Amino acid sequence: MITTADSVVVAYVSLAMTSIDRGDAPSSVAKHAPDPVPALLIGRLAVDRSYAGLGIGTALVTHVLATAVDLNARAACRAVVVSAIDQAARSWWERLGFHPFDPADPGNPDLYLLTGEIEATLRSFG
Ligand SMILES: CC(C)(COP(=O)(O)OP(=O)(O)OC[C@H]1O[C@@H](n2cnc3c(N)ncnc32)[C@H](O)[C@@H]1OP(=O)(O)O)[C@@H](O)C(=O)NCCC(=O)NCCS
């Protein structure tokens, strides 16, 4: 959570460990992975509208991705997954390098980023 000096919430993210049925996973997620596939779930991520566009959302995602790398070094974490709340959010996640679980279904809100892709993603953030 990010707050002002007066403890007003500016942005937050919630995380939980999750797993993906290997049979339902895209091949890049399922390849050489256990069943179910261990992953880190971004439950909620939001930035107060008056602080939008300042890079706070991207900074929170950077923190989440670094957490996934750290978790994967201690216990398996194959991917970071998120369910986009709407089409705009989906575009935002795709801009950060996340992939749709089902590219053929634009109505499917679920996206993922392989932990193995995170280093390159973080480099692209600059
Ligand atoms: C999505 C959200 C987290 C972005 O937070 P933010 O702090 O404003 O994002 P950042 O400042 O890090 O990124 C802004 C960049 O993303 C772009 N962007 C913002 N919303 C976008 C969208 N819907 N689609 C594509 N790009 C978007 C901006 O144009 C800006 O680009 P620029 O850096 O080239 O100028 C915030 O708008 C939000 O809380 N939305 C409501 C909840 C939500 O959608 N959460 C996602 C969970 S599913």
Side-chain angles (χ1 to χ4, degrees):
M1 186 186 294
I2 297 175
T3 67
T4 65
D6 302 331
S7 301
V8 176
V9 176
V10 170
Y12 66 89
V13 62
S14 64
L15 301 177
M17 295 312 298
T18 191
S19 59
I20 308 160
D21 284 341
R22 200 161 172 261
D24 295 336
S27 57
S28 59
V29 174
K31 198 174 170 189
H32 305 310
D35 190 12
V37 184
L40 180 65
L41 171 72
I42 301 176
R44 292 267 164 85
L45 179 132
V47 176
D48 185 299
R49 280 202 188 105
S50 47
Y51 294 90
L54 299 177
I56 295 172
T58 303
L60 275 177
V61 173
T62 301
H63 172 71
V64 169
L65 299 185
T67 300
V69 170
D70 188 42
L71 283 168
N72 193 41
R74 297 159 193 266
C77 175
R78 178 79 175 191
V80 178
V81 300
V82 67
S83 198
I85 55 170
D86 55 25
Q87 195 56 44
R90 181 176 156 137
S91 307
W92 192 77
W93 289 111
E94 288 183 335
R95 188 174 178 268
L96 295 174
F98 280 70
H99 316 287
F101 263 86
D102 185 356
D105 178 6
N108 184 330
D110 299 333
L111 300 126
Y112 71 94
L113 182 70
L114 293 171
T115 306
E117 294 176 298
I118 287 177
E119 211 171 283
T121 301
L122 292 178
R123 266 202 306 273
S124 74
F125 288 179

